[in-house]
Amino acid sequence: MGKTTRVLAWTAVAAAAGGVAWALRDLPAQLGAVPAGARADRMRRSPQYGDGRFVNTVPADILPPHAMRDAFVELLTGKQRRKPLGAIPVRRPELGGRLDPDGLHVTWLGHSTALVEIEGVRVLFDPVWSDRCSPTSFAGPKRLHAVPLPIDELPRIDAVVISHDHYDHLDFASIKALQKTQQAPFLVPLGVGAHLERWGVPEDRLVELDWDESAEVGGVTLTATAARHFSGRKFTRDGTLWASWVVKGARRSLFYTGDSGYFDGYKRIGEQHGPFDASLIQVGAYNDAWPDIHMMPEDGASAHLDVRARVLIPLHWCTFNLALHAWSEPVERLTEEARARDIELVIPRPGDRVNIDALPALEPWWRAIA
């Protein structure tokens, strides 16, 4: 090998190494932080905490025996169409108008990201604007449709609410952007504040809640409630809490599941906090291999009825390919179940703003690309 060739080879190696280093520059921050000090002391006092971690009220197997083997076989042999055949229709929402002091509107922004306008207060759930729900920018599940609205074009947000710390619900880049462009507090389950604090969110904008604890924002009460799931951004699990959320104004109310397997806690939430005008229900990314931590569409319908909500809006589908079922299967199964159980169902396109008091007719828009 001549001198020029060696120089070119080493230059290529150095460039590749530099590219990898650049791509991984945010990885340590992406992983978040381990709660410590007063935050950890408070976690240890929680009824949900025991033996060094948070636990579910109903035990849940994250990956039961043989689950990974069965899922791998299905990945190789399954015939499901896991991506749409064409472009997913995305609407640009009009969110800058006057807020209705008595109204309830929900704008679905993809996956589990939803903007709720309730009695003049805007609540943003699980904001994920990144192209991948992953700790890296070059690997991991990639977005299947564009975001309906750039994050810096959001109107004034009154509260940002996080359900748990998984990458498809707690997005590093989105939190960093919202910390700069908004003044809203971040409401999170116990321990999750450690991640946000590392990412530059000041302590006075962090509100950490245990299950059944509440905070008030603009006359609207937000309560962290139980869910059946798990947490973790590294190789250890359950170091921070996960939650569903109740949002209640003087007249209007809404329930948000976050991620959860089906469990009897929904009936208790309905008895304690219901009825609700609407529910935002996780219905996608399920599999027989992990039935305890994500709901099947039929489970989502049961959860909706358990909490005593009127209108069901499905979340956690369409945007990222996170499971082995067909892309449109969650809403097809949910539509059939809703019809059988007389559930009022709305399935918006990404970016659609739904007025809970003037519901659109159910339109199966996804079938044209399924």
Side-chain angles (χ1 to χ4, degrees), residues 104-118 122-127 161 163 169 222 225-227 243-247 253-260 266 269 276-284 295-297 299-305 307-317 334 343-348 352-356 359:
L104 177 59
H105 297 76
V106 176
T107 303
W108 183 46
L109 297 167
H111 197 55
S112 290
T113 304
L115 179 62
V116 173
E117 301 164 67
I118 178 169
R122 293 190 184 99
V123 180
L124 180 63
F125 283 100
D126 287 352
V161 177
S163 63
H169 294 259
L222 297 106
T225 45
S244 58
W245 289 88
V246 166
V247 185
S253 61
L254 175 138
F255 177 69
Y256 175 83
T257 60
D259 276 4
S260 179
Y266 289 126
I269 290 169
F276 297 97
D277 293 299
S279 68
L280 306 182
I281 303 282
Q282 172 259 305
V283 300
M295 289 187 284
M296 306 284 185
D299 295 329
S302 294
H304 167 81
L305 294 173
V307 301
R308 299 192 292 156
R310 179 171 65 86
V311 179
L312 192 164
I313 298 177
L315 304 183
H316 207 265
W317 81 285
L334 182 64
I343 292 172
E344 199 162 10
L345 178 65
V346 177
I347 304 179
D352 275 342
R353 180 175 181 261
V354 177
N355 182 350
I356 300 301
L359 298 177

Side-chain angles (χ1 to χ4, degrees), residues 135-152:
T136 70
S137 61
F138 59 87
K142 186 174 176 59
R143 181 178 289 275
L144 298 175
H145 64 79
V147 292
L149 188 74
I151 197 167
D152 59 0

Side-chain angles (χ1 to χ4, degrees), residues 156-326:
R156 186 203 77 249
I157 304 299
D158 297 291
V160 179
V161 177
I162 305 297
S163 63
H164 63 295
D165 71 1
H166 287 157
Y167 290 97
D168 60 321
H169 294 259
L170 179 60
D171 178 44
F172 167 76
S174 298
I175 297 298
K176 294 279 287 184
L178 290 167
Q179 190 270 326
K180 294 177 181 177
T181 60
Q182 300 282 344
Q183 299 300 314
F186 293 82
L187 279 63
V188 302
L190 288 181
V192 176
H195 302 316
L196 274 65
E197 198 169 72
R198 180 176 184 181
W199 300 342
V201 177
E203 185 179 355
D204 62 2
R205 288 180 63 184
L206 287 173
V207 180
E208 291 187 64
L209 300 177
D210 201 347
W211 293 349
D212 300 319
E213 292 183 342
S214 302
E216 186 177 311
V217 177
V220 170
T221 300
L222 297 106
T223 303
T225 45
R228 191 185 184 204
H229 200 53
F230 69 110
S231 66
R233 294 178 75 83
K234 303 179 184 178
F235 298 108
T236 57
R237 292 176 177 151
D238 305 337
T240 63
L241 188 58
W242 48 95
S244 58
W245 289 88
V246 166
V247 185
K248 298 200 80 169
R251 295 163 298 280
R252 313 311 300 265
S253 61
L254 175 138
F255 177 69
Y256 175 83
T257 60
D259 276 4
S260 179
Y262 182 70
F263 72 129
D264 59 6
Y266 289 126
K267 290 184 179 178
R268 291 193 293 271
I269 290 169
E271 291 166 358
Q272 185 174 356
H273 299 284
F276 297 97
D277 293 299
S279 68
L280 306 182
I281 303 282
Q282 172 259 305
V283 300
Y286 50 82
N287 191 282
D288 289 338
W290 51 85
D292 293 348
I293 56 171
H294 279 172
M295 289 187 284
M296 306 284 185
E298 297 79 9
D299 295 329
S302 294
H304 167 81
L305 294 173
D306 285 350
V307 301
R308 299 192 292 156
R310 179 171 65 86
V311 179
L312 192 164
I313 298 177
L315 304 183
H316 207 265
W317 81 285
C318 179
T319 306
F320 297 107
N321 184 4
L322 301 178
L324 303 176
H325 56 66

